[in-house]
Amino acid sequence: MGKLDTYESVEEKSQFFKGDQDYIVGKVAQLFDELETLNNHEYLFRGSKNGTYKLFNSAQREFALREISALKLMNPEYDPYPKWINGMIKEVQQWNSNTLQNYLQHRDGKQPGDFEYLSYMQHNGFPTPLLDFTYNPFVALYFACENVMYNNSDIDLNSCISIYYFNTEHLVYRSMNPDDLSLLSLEQQMPYLEFMEKRPLAILQTDSVLYKIKNSMNIINQRGCFIFNANSTNPLEIEYINLIKNLSSDSPLPNLNVGAKMTCINIHKSVIPKVIELLFKRHNIDQDFIYPNIKKQKDSIINNSIINILE
């Protein structure tokens, strides 16, 4: 309790991810060229600041950190995790005399659903069962490099950042998309507890008519979406593998699981300065792009507007 598992070796990590798992120490330009071939709407990416980290979401981390999981150990028939998540949603909904609820209702003209609250919580640092992904591999690469912690270690997973991605054209991905499966009506979103029972692993698209979670300017440049994992202890890769196994056993299609695993690229931290340089030179990606804040540009905007009217 209180500590989440990490990967001890490449061999252990290879059980859940495809890819040769070699460490990219040089050849940064070659890495960019490889990612460029994947820079379309067929792949989803996530960057991680340390190659040993498993794909836990913030709710799972908080659940372990605060020792809440002990409640289940003491009483195996009682699962506090769903009740805890649902309780946080209700607390946020009622916060400050329903201020957020009133804002969302005024903006959209309808009663907000639980996942719209979860989206706001995610963008404001609350623990949620959502994990950020992006359709842009270079955005994922930026997040992997951002505020990275260096370690005086050998060339191993602890000395690497990682990029993860998977193909959205695969049946496994489509099975995670509740919009495609018509699990929800267009008029009303499912409550959290009902949704997690029907779809414990799901893709939440930012442009979905069911979620309407474009509530932050950041999400435009980041080209992001969320993956929802209802499990309290299993990281995304384990639940993803379990989904592959379930689909394979239920499907008449042969070799369904071939190519379905997520891919992992391990990149040695020594190349991060070059990566950051190329992110800006080739794709104009830096902190201002990832976190657009027009307030920071107020003075330059005013000055440029004055320059434009002067001869």
Side-chain angles (χ1 to χ4, degrees), residues 17-49:
F17 302 99
K18 62 181 180 179
D20 55 24
Q21 297 294 309
D22 287 340
Y23 309 116
I24 294 179
V25 179
K27 302 179 180 178
V28 178
Q30 181 177 326
L31 168 66
F32 272 66
D33 292 341
E34 178 182 346
L35 292 178
E36 191 65 64
T37 65
L38 305 173
N39 191 14
N40 53 57
H41 221 67
E42 293 181 5
Y43 295 91
L44 272 176
F45 303 85
R46 178 172 174 82
S48 175
K49 303 179 191 304

Side-chain angles (χ1 to χ4, degrees), residues 75-112:
N75 182 3
E77 296 182 359
Y78 174 61
D79 186 0
Y81 188 73
K83 186 176 181 180
W84 173 56
I85 300 291
N86 194 57
M88 274 197 298
I89 294 172
K90 302 312 175 190
E91 289 290 332
V92 169
Q93 178 183 353
Q94 297 166 14
W95 165 73
N96 199 24
S97 301
N98 300 328
T99 296
L100 181 57
Q101 179 185 21
N102 293 335
Y103 164 72
L104 294 176
Q105 190 167 358
H106 177 78
R107 187 193 66 175
D108 294 336
K110 66 176 184 62
Q111 188 76 10

Side-chain angles (χ1 to χ4, degrees), residues 190-207:
M190 280 185 182
Y192 175 78
L193 292 177
E194 182 181 353
F195 181 88
M196 63 160 289
E197 289 291 335
K198 291 182 177 292
R199 187 56 47 180
L201 197 64
I203 302 286
L204 307 183
Q205 302 285 2
T206 57
D207 58 355

Side-chain angles (χ1 to χ4, degrees), residues 41 135 173 177 179 203-214 219-220 224-226:
H41 221 67
Y135 286 100
Y173 171 85
N177 192 333
D179 292 0
I203 302 286
L204 307 183
Q205 302 285 2
T206 57
D207 58 355
S208 166
V209 295
L210 302 176
Y211 297 103
K212 300 187 73 173
I213 54 180
K214 280 188 178 177
I219 214 164
I220 305 301
C225 71
F226 299 131

